[in-house]
Short mmCIF file of all heavy atoms in Angstrom, two decimals:
data_model
loop_
_atom_site.label_atom_id
_atom_site.label_comp_id
_atom_site.label_asym_id
_atom_site.label_seq_id
_atom_site.Cartn_x
_atom_site.Cartn_y
_atom_site.Cartn_z
N LYS A 126 -1.54 -11.57 7.28
CA LYS A 126 -0.32 -11.60 6.78
C LYS A 126 -0.22 -12.22 5.41
O LYS A 126 0.73 -11.76 4.77
CB LYS A 126 0.52 -12.53 7.78
CG LYS A 126 0.77 -11.91 9.16
CD LYS A 126 1.51 -12.87 10.11
CE LYS A 126 1.72 -12.13 11.36
NZ LYS A 126 2.71 -12.86 12.27
N LEU A 127 -1.16 -12.93 4.89
CA LEU A 127 -1.18 -13.32 3.59
C LEU A 127 -1.40 -12.28 2.71
O LEU A 127 -0.67 -12.10 1.61
CB LEU A 127 -2.27 -14.54 3.43
CG LEU A 127 -2.47 -15.16 2.11
CD1 LEU A 127 -1.11 -15.64 1.56
CD2 LEU A 127 -3.62 -16.16 2.08
N LYS A 128 -2.34 -11.42 3.02
CA LYS A 128 -2.74 -10.27 2.14
C LYS A 128 -1.51 -9.30 2.06
O LYS A 128 -1.23 -8.78 0.84
CB LYS A 128 -3.85 -9.42 2.78
CG LYS A 128 -5.29 -10.18 2.48
CD LYS A 128 -6.37 -9.24 3.04
CE LYS A 128 -7.65 -9.98 2.95
NZ LYS A 128 -8.77 -9.26 3.50
N LYS A 129 -0.81 -9.09 3.12
CA LYS A 129 0.37 -8.21 3.08
C LYS A 129 1.59 -8.90 2.11
O LYS A 129 2.13 -8.13 1.39
CB LYS A 129 1.02 -7.98 4.55
CG LYS A 129 0.19 -7.00 5.27
CD LYS A 129 0.89 -6.71 6.61
CE LYS A 129 0.06 -5.70 7.45
NZ LYS A 129 0.88 -5.37 8.63
N SER A 130 1.62 -10.17 2.36
CA SER A 130 2.69 -10.83 1.43
C SER A 130 2.33 -10.81 0.09
O SER A 130 3.17 -10.49 -0.85
CB SER A 130 3.07 -12.19 1.99
OG SER A 130 1.90 -13.07 1.94
N LEU A 131 1.13 -11.03 -0.27
CA LEU A 131 0.69 -10.94 -1.67
C LEU A 131 0.71 -9.55 -2.23
O LEU A 131 1.15 -9.23 -3.46
CB LEU A 131 -0.78 -11.30 -1.77
CG LEU A 131 -1.05 -12.85 -1.53
CD1 LEU A 131 -2.53 -13.17 -1.48
CD2 LEU A 131 -0.29 -13.84 -2.48
N ALA A 132 0.50 -8.49 -1.39
CA ALA A 132 0.72 -7.05 -1.86
C ALA A 132 2.15 -6.84 -2.17
O ALA A 132 2.47 -6.11 -3.13
CB ALA A 132 0.04 -6.09 -0.81
N ARG A 133 2.96 -7.25 -1.30
CA ARG A 133 4.50 -7.06 -1.53
C ARG A 133 4.98 -7.77 -2.79
O ARG A 133 5.67 -7.23 -3.64
CB ARG A 133 5.20 -7.68 -0.31
CG ARG A 133 5.24 -6.80 0.86
CD ARG A 133 6.03 -7.46 1.93
NE ARG A 133 6.11 -6.54 3.16
CZ ARG A 133 5.38 -6.87 4.27
NH1 ARG A 133 4.73 -7.94 4.39
NH2 ARG A 133 5.41 -6.01 5.32
N LEU A 134 4.48 -9.04 -3.14
CA LEU A 134 4.83 -9.70 -4.22
C LEU A 134 4.23 -8.95 -5.43
O LEU A 134 5.00 -8.95 -6.50
CB LEU A 134 4.33 -11.18 -4.24
CG LEU A 134 5.16 -12.03 -3.21
CD1 LEU A 134 4.36 -13.37 -2.89
CD2 LEU A 134 6.46 -12.19 -3.47
N SER A 135 3.09 -8.57 -5.36
CA SER A 135 2.45 -7.92 -6.50
C SER A 135 3.13 -6.61 -6.88
O SER A 135 3.46 -6.18 -7.95
CB SER A 135 0.90 -7.54 -6.23
OG SER A 135 0.29 -7.01 -7.40
N ALA A 136 3.53 -5.79 -5.74
CA ALA A 136 4.23 -4.65 -6.01
C ALA A 136 5.65 -4.88 -6.51
O ALA A 136 6.21 -4.18 -7.49
CB ALA A 136 4.32 -3.87 -4.60
N SER A 137 6.29 -5.91 -6.04
CA SER A 137 7.68 -6.22 -6.55
C SER A 137 7.69 -6.60 -8.00
O SER A 137 8.79 -6.33 -8.76
CB SER A 137 8.34 -7.24 -5.74
OG SER A 137 7.65 -8.63 -6.04
N GLU A 138 6.66 -7.01 -8.55
CA GLU A 138 6.50 -7.46 -10.00
C GLU A 138 6.45 -6.20 -10.79
O GLU A 138 6.55 -6.18 -12.08
CB GLU A 138 5.26 -8.25 -10.16
CG GLU A 138 5.42 -9.68 -9.60
CD GLU A 138 4.12 -10.56 -9.64
OE1 GLU A 138 3.13 -10.00 -10.14
OE2 GLU A 138 4.13 -11.68 -9.23
N ARG A 139 6.21 -4.95 -10.29
CA ARG A 139 5.90 -3.85 -11.13
C ARG A 139 7.10 -2.97 -10.95
O ARG A 139 7.02 -1.69 -11.28
CB ARG A 139 4.75 -3.01 -10.42
CG ARG A 139 3.53 -3.88 -10.66
CD ARG A 139 2.20 -2.99 -9.87
NE ARG A 139 1.01 -3.69 -9.88
CZ ARG A 139 0.00 -3.52 -10.59
NH1 ARG A 139 0.09 -2.50 -11.48
NH2 ARG A 139 -0.94 -4.20 -10.48
N LYS A 140 8.30 -3.44 -10.80
CA LYS A 140 9.47 -2.67 -10.70
C LYS A 140 9.75 -1.90 -11.96
O LYS A 140 9.48 -2.33 -13.04
CB LYS A 140 10.77 -3.47 -10.29
CG LYS A 140 10.64 -3.89 -8.91
CD LYS A 140 11.96 -4.69 -8.62
CE LYS A 140 11.96 -5.21 -7.15
NZ LYS A 140 13.05 -6.07 -6.88
#
Side-chain angles (χ1 to χ4, degrees):
K126 288 183 178 189
L127 178 60
K128 286 179 183 179
K129 283 184 176 183
S130 64
L131 292 172
R133 284 184 179 105
L134 291 169
S135 182
S137 72
E138 293 171 357
R139 297 177 186 255
K140 288 183 183 179

